[in-house]
Amino acid sequence: MKPLKELTRPNIWNLKPYSSAHNECGATAAKVFLDANENPYNSPYNRYPDPQQSEVKARLSKIKGVRPEQIFLGNGSDEAIDLLYRCFTCPGRDNVVAIEPTYGMYKVCADINDVEYRTVELDQNYQTTADRLLHACSDTTKLIWICSPNNPTGNNIMRDEVVKVINEFQGIVVVDEAYSDFSSERPLRLDIAKYPNLVVLNTFSNAWGCAAIRLGMAFAQKDIIDIFNKVKHPYNISTLTQRQAIEALKEPYEVDKWVKTILLERGRMIEAFRLLPFCERIYPTDANFFLAKMNDAQAIYDYLKSNGVIVRNRANVHLCNNCLRITIGSKSENNELLSALRQY
Ligand code: PMP
């Protein structure tokens, strides 16, 4: 890996961050706070949130097996995706490499940041190799994006290849594990201490059942997390979100139960899809969704929509020709989808 200073956008490396009053002396340092122009009334909403989200991180640290200083919290993991560009790429000069097809926000954020987005097409089994990814890189490649389990294909990218990329790439490798709670593979998050150039993304939106609160995570070694914390908005996670996250983190066994139920439902849905005459192929999945190749995805999508059921139409996504991405819902939601399809 190149030195972090060389990988970081120069103005960000030199940035003197905004320092809130809370940051300077800590939220419990005094009995009277007259420093932040807050209204003393309307408790409990009148005070700014903890800018460092200490309690959330302390709880997360135990559950996720990483240290609190190795955690960045964002307004969804989408905030972390954008920050990665803003911290490590120079507009108009640098590029990033990503697998294709994959989660759309990597490209949108590249476009927003005026950074070239290079893609490496997945093969017929939606796999790739380290060599292919490294071959696509140039001297100004700063980030490699690997989503595993991948969205929209559902499968894990082969671990040996991912590790080889991390070991051989000179820049930062982002492994998006938004769906790893649904996979039996050991998450790479647990190995961040081994890899100074690895950033792992997680989210509260999927297995944790908290998409509404908008909370995402990036895990990495402290020097990378420190850069994110310099650049993030001072109070980027609201008190409401922090409270709800703490409540959710008190009950991790609930998540395990949900995941088990969703995986059982996933098995049932895949079996049912296999029997549909207009379903041509189901791709292997390690996530809470699966990709199904249909004989006419657009027509089926339109039909479902007119019957009040929305699935994700991936028919026009490169290498997902005629595919629909199906999220595993509750048992009754899944039954609604199946009964509509059986009348198609
Ligand atoms: N990464 C992947 C692979 C996703 O599919 C999603 C959407 N669930 C996200 C990141 C964004 O998640 P968040 O809701 O945390 O912004």
Side-chain angles (χ1 to χ4, degrees):
M1 177 193 179
K2 288 182 188 158
L4 200 55
K5 183 176 179 183
E6 223 175 285
L7 290 173
T8 307
R9 207 187 266 192
N11 62 310
I12 299 300
W13 185 262
N14 296 321
L15 181 72
K16 194 173 175 319
Y18 178 79
S19 178
S20 65
H22 284 56
N23 259 342
E24 278 165 20
C25 56
T28 53
K31 60 176 192 284
V32 177
F33 282 92
L34 298 173
D35 59 297
N37 304 343
E38 296 149 331
N39 181 335
Y41 310 112
N42 197 33
S43 176
Y45 300 115
N46 58 329
R47 300 290 177 188
Y48 280 105
D50 173 5
Q52 285 134 7
Q53 306 105 19
S54 304
E55 189 176 348
V56 182
K57 286 182 188 169
R59 287 179 186 274
L60 258 181
S61 157
K62 294 201 185 98
I63 289 172
K64 296 283 184 179
V66 297
R67 294 211 302 275
E69 63 274 20
Q70 297 170 327
I71 305 173
F72 164 79
L73 293 177
N75 183 353
S77 36
D78 286 343
E79 182 181 353
I81 293 168
D82 182 54
L83 267 183
L84 277 151
Y85 282 99
R86 289 198 282 139
C87 294
F88 296 117
T89 62
C90 288
R93 188 194 81 179
D94 292 338
N95 66 72
V96 303
V97 168
I99 57 175
E100 182 173 13
T102 194
Y103 180 48
M105 283 303 284
Y106 313 143
K107 174 162 167 42
V108 172
C109 287
D111 291 346
I112 291 170
N113 286 280
D114 191 19
V115 165
E116 183 196 348
Y117 185 80
R118 299 183 174 190
T119 54
V120 173
E121 290 184 358
L122 296 178
D123 65 19
Q124 284 170 336
N125 298 316
Y126 289 140
Q127 284 297 340
T128 191
T129 63
D131 289 346
R132 269 183 237 158
L133 286 163
L134 294 167
H135 186 71
C137 296
S138 70
D139 281 353
T140 52
T141 304
K142 294 298 189 62
L143 306 171
I144 295 182
W145 294 93
I146 301 174
C147 186
S148 184
N150 187 32
N151 176 6
T153 61
N155 59 301
N156 278 309
I157 304 300
M158 285 179 295
R159 175 57 56 88
D160 291 352
E161 300 298 325
V162 177
V163 168
K164 188 169 177 211
V165 175
I166 299 168
N167 279 325
E168 295 187 14
F169 181 51
Q170 293 300 302
I172 288 170
V173 181
V174 189
V175 179
D176 189 340
E177 294 191 331
Y179 299 98
S180 63
D181 294 292
F182 301 100
S183 166
S184 47
E185 195 161 280
R186 181 179 191 275
L188 259 176
R189 166 191 91 233
L190 298 172
D191 294 336
I192 48 169
K194 279 198 228 165
Y195 305 116
N197 62 337
L198 173 62
V199 175
V200 173
L201 303 181
N202 265 198
T203 177
F204 273 74
S205 301
N206 304 326
W208 284 83
C210 288
I213 70 172
R214 305 304 299 129
L215 191 62
M217 297 151 265
F219 305 110
Q221 293 190 10
K222 182 176 179 303
D223 52 359
I224 292 183
I225 297 298
D226 286 348
I227 297 175
F228 293 155
N229 284 333
K230 250 179 28 163
V231 177
K232 79 175 184 72
H233 293 174
Y235 300 110
N236 63 328
I237 309 294
S238 79
T239 300
L240 301 183
T241 292
Q242 293 189 45
R243 285 210 185 120
Q244 194 52 47
I246 289 163
E247 289 311 306
L249 289 165
K250 285 180 188 166
E251 296 180 353
Y253 46 86
E254 282 292 329
V255 177
D256 294 342
K257 277 198 286 186
W258 292 329
V259 167
K260 281 201 186 94
T261 307
I262 288 167
L263 293 183
L264 282 174
E265 278 296 285
R266 188 181 76 187
R268 182 175 79 94
M269 292 300 284
I270 289 175
E271 285 311 306
F273 263 66
R274 287 214 170 99
L275 298 176
L276 298 170
F278 44 84
C279 175
E280 294 180 354
R281 183 171 177 187
I282 311 274
Y283 291 93
T285 179
D286 290 290
N288 65 334
F289 59 83
F290 62 92
L291 195 66
K293 193 175 185 83
M294 311 306 246
N295 64 2
D296 188 346
Q298 185 66 49
I300 295 167
Y301 174 81
D302 292 340
Y303 161 80
L304 286 172
K305 193 171 163 195
S306 66
N307 282 275
V309 179
I310 304 282
V311 296
R312 189 76 158 140
N313 184 3
R314 300 285 81 184
N316 297 320
V317 170
H318 185 45
L319 303 177
C320 291
N321 193 19
N322 259 332
C323 286
L324 298 177
R325 194 194 70 191
I326 313 292
T327 303
I328 306 303
S330 67
K331 200 166 188 145
S332 69
E333 289 169 331
N334 298 336
N335 285 341
E336 295 243 14
L337 169 62
L338 289 180
S339 94
L341 283 172
R342 283 173 186 144
Q343 291 166 54
Y344 176 68

